[in-house]
Structures are given as structure tokens and as C-alpha cells.
């Protein structure tokens, strides 16, 4: 999957973004980097809030940044955290990512570069889609 994706570069961008995480409550810093069809890379970090529920994950920050820069087509996303077992996107982020590419390549990277890569269609096989679900 995604042989055209330079995962190493995407991961490096994600690690750099992770440095900017605002995570004073969980102390759990996450970085993400999404690759647009244009070749551009957009990054995000998690941004927490004292209300907890308003916290935004790194994946959604990365994609939102890309969209506001005019990119809506993505081929892959790298998500990094300093964990033994790589973290995978939460349910809300899976739906958010599926908006733009339900088969996005998702690479989750942990400490020491250990990684797992999936198609988003495996992580979220049945995303909500108002067209499909409309009566
Ligand atoms: N988090 C992310 O940013 N992405 C993930 O894939 C997993 C969870 C953040 C949300 C929160 O700031 C912290 O990690 C702990 O859940």
C-alpha cells in the first residue's frame, strides 16, 4: 500500500509537529502529518482544553490545516506518539479523515519507529455518509 508515499519524510514532519503539542492535561503529545496529492505535507499536534471535551486530536488539526490551505485530496497520514505500541486514530478522527479519503493510508508510529500501516477503510469500514444513508 502506498509505495509512492515517502513515509520517512511524513513521519519526520509528524515528530516535529508533536513537539508543538499542547497537552497539559493528559501529558500525551501526538503529532500528525498528512500528504496531499500535490505533494505538500501539512502537520498537526493535539490541542487540549481545560474542558477536556473540546480537545482536538493531531489528525484533525493536520487535515484542517491542509483544507484551509486549499488541499482536500490526501493519500496518506502519519501519526506519531512516544509509545511502545503505536496509537491509532480515535473514532472521531477516523470519520473526519474519511470525509476526504475513505481509503487513506494511515501509518501509526511509536517509539523507535515501530509502525503499523492500514487503509482507513479497514479502521472504519462503514463511515457515515449522508448520501448513502439518505432515504
Ligand atoms: N490524541 C491524538 O491527538 N490523536 C490520537 O490518535 C489519539 C489521541 C490526543 C488527544 C488527547 O490530547 C491526548 O491524545 C490523550 O488522549
Amino acid at each position: 500500500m502506498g509505495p509512492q508515499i515517502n513515509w520517512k519524510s511524513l513521519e519526520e514532519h509528524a515528530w516535529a509537529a508533536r513537539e508543538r503539542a499542547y497537552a497539559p492535561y493528559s501529558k500525551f503529545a501526538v503529532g500528525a502529518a498528512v500528504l496531499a496529492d500535490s505533494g505538500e505535507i501539512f502537520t498537526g499536534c493535539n490541542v487540549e482544553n481545560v474542558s477536556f471535551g473540546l480537545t482536538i486530536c493531531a489528525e484533525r488539526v493536520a487535515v484542517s490545516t491542509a483544507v484551509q490551505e486549499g488541499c482536500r485530496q490526501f493519500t496518506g497520514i502519519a501519526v506519531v506518539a512516544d509509545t511502545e505500541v503505536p496509537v491509532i486514530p480515535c473514532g472521531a478522527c477516523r470519520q473526519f479523515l474519511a470525509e476526504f479519503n475513505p481509503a487513506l493510508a494511515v501509518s501509526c508510529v511509536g517509539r523507535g519507529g515501530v509502525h503499523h500501516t492500514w487503509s482507513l477503510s479497514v479502521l472504519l469500514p462503514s463511515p457515515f455518509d449522508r448520501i448513502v444513508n439518505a432515504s
Side-chain angles (χ1 to χ4, degrees):
M1 175 175 37
Q4 77 285 10
I5 296 176
N6 183 345
W7 286 112
K8 192 167 161 27
S9 166
L10 214 52
E11 288 169 24
E12 281 170 4
H13 280 80
W15 284 115
R18 180 179 171 276
E19 293 294 316
R20 299 188 287 273
Y22 176 71
Y25 307 108
S26 73
K27 316 267 191 231
F28 188 70
V30 182
V34 66
L35 178 66
D37 276 7
S38 61
E40 289 168 277
I41 293 173
F42 300 92
T43 61
C45 59
N46 51 331
V47 182
E48 298 190 342
N49 186 269
V50 67
S51 73
F52 292 11
L54 286 176
T55 290
I56 311 174
C57 293
E59 297 92 318
R60 277 177 280 158
V61 172
V63 168
S64 299
T65 300
V67 170
Q68 78 89 28
E69 290 291 334
C71 291
R72 297 177 180 173
Q73 288 177 324
F74 312 111
T75 52
I77 188 169
V79 183
V80 306
D82 187 21
T83 52
E84 240 172 78
V85 177
V87 294
I88 58 176
C90 73
C93 283
R94 294 177 199 195
Q95 180 71 43
F96 199 90
L97 296 171
E99 180 77 17
F100 300 100
N101 182 355
L104 185 71
V106 181
S107 184
C108 302
V109 188
R111 190 177 305 147
V114 54
H115 64 274
H116 297 300
T117 306
W118 291 272
S119 167
L120 182 58
S121 61
V122 173
L123 297 178
L124 186 66
S126 302
F128 172 74
D129 185 319
R130 68 189 181 282
I131 307 298
V132 169
N133 288 292
S135 56

